[in-house]
Amino acid sequence: TWNTADLVRKDKAHMLHPVSNLRQLQEYGPLVMARGEGVYLWDTDGKRYIDAFAGLWNVNVGHGRRELADAMREQGERLAFSPTFFGLATPPTIELAAKLASLFPGDLNYFNFTSGGAESNETAIKIARYYWALRGKPDKVKVLSRMMAYHGIAMGALSATGIPAYWQDFGPRPAGFIHLTPPYYYRHGEGMTEDEFVDSLVRELEETIQREGADTIAAFIGEPIQGAGGVVVPPDRYWPAIAEVLRRHDILLILDEVITGFGRTGTLFGMQQYGITPDIVSFAKGVTSGYVPLGGVGVSSKIFDVLAEPDRVFMHGFTYSGHPVACAVALRNIQIIEEENLAANAGEVGAYMIGELSKLLERPYVGNVRGKGLMMLVELVADKETKAKFDPAQNLGGRLQAATRKRGIIVRCNPDSIAIAPPLILTKEEASTVVEAIADSLTEVLG
Ligand code: PLP
């Protein structure tokens, strides 16, 4: 039993919450979660919710898995920590690297570990620059990304991120980060077929490379499907076309699989939806289903061969790179994803759920429903013809958050959208419950 009032009082007195309205939290206090089991969470007052956002897109195998708690305890008792600096290693770290090499497509065979997504993208960008420096091109440093991208909030990852709300008021960002148009057909493909839209994005990339000079650009970083920026599912031709341009201009491709990795889109990795393989991949979140923090990057043999050639030290790493407890949990977590065919379930239940959510398109304020596997989004518009957004003063996000939580559903409510990303164990029945709660919440707030 929990004393909710006491916890809320202490939270207000001492917590500095990430990505939260601090003023509103001082007024309303947090919703305090106490326990999880499968797709369900219980708050400290015993109210049950379906966690239809899987924590933060990451609790892929669902809550309360004893196997993962056991893996944590067993490795914690055996050897809780020993680093991977200075040529040291531990068995779970090595086994995880070997397992990942067997799972990732292509020759993504070498792995460096971190504790999360932002650290992984920092690592990926630094490896790209290091690669070019070792190849005698130290000026090949710029990074291309897209607007609406979310790559994390550490300074380098933040600079590649394309959501200005995360930049504002934090001072100057490092130079050399260039943002292109996202493959967001609903808003940027106006008056074009999907093919014409892809052609326009390819042209923009070509023109940017011409303008900046390929010799100044280290890499292009992108999420196979943009997540936090608004679940932007690109047209099928987009990624192969972009990858071809990058290859032709000798620019490395970094794919950020932090959300799309480990089953969420219906395949083990998002890149498999588009038949492309990057030079560098970053991952985090689903690799441990969030039970302990872990992220990392994989690099191709081409990259590794250059990094390993000179007689010098690779001067990059975090204390917790390859943390043995995190790696032990990741190994067990990946085993569950494979044994329970969770990628296939995400594909099947996701397609059903997107189909059910698409029925909301009949409503005057639902402009677009999109997604792949178990990452999806309902986009809300004040006017369907003009696609005008709602006035922020209406606080639609806050009102929808209250309405969905009242109905026992945790989703991410923004001023102009609802994002949904349940654990990959979701059943069709549970999917229907979530859709119904969203439909009822929209009726309550928007009629
Ligand atoms: N990349 C993507 C695609 C993400 O969605 C996120 C987090 O949501 C990150 C990177 C950053 O990960 P972290 O919050 O673990 O630093």
Side-chain angles (χ1 to χ4, degrees), residues 59-75:
V59 187
N60 288 9
V61 300
H63 297 281
R65 291 282 189 151
R66 181 163 292 277
E67 309 96 297
L68 297 189
D70 287 345
M72 227 179 279
R73 184 180 44 74
E74 284 163 16
Q75 185 59 39

Side-chain angles (χ1 to χ4, degrees), residues 56-57 115-119 121 150-153 223 225 227-228 256-260 282 284-285:
L56 287 173
W57 324 78
S115 298
E119 284 184 2
N121 288 324
Y150 188 80
H151 296 298
I153 46 67
E223 304 148 84
I225 295 169
D256 176 344
E257 292 261 12
V258 168
I259 286 179
T260 51
S282 59
K285 293 192 190 278

Side-chain angles (χ1 to χ4, degrees), residues 313-337:
V313 175
F314 174 50
M315 291 301 287
H316 177 85
F318 303 93
T319 296
Y320 297 126
S321 295
H323 194 290
V325 174
C327 292
V329 172
L331 280 164
R332 192 70 187 88
N333 173 65
I334 291 168
Q335 194 182 345
I336 293 172
I337 291 172

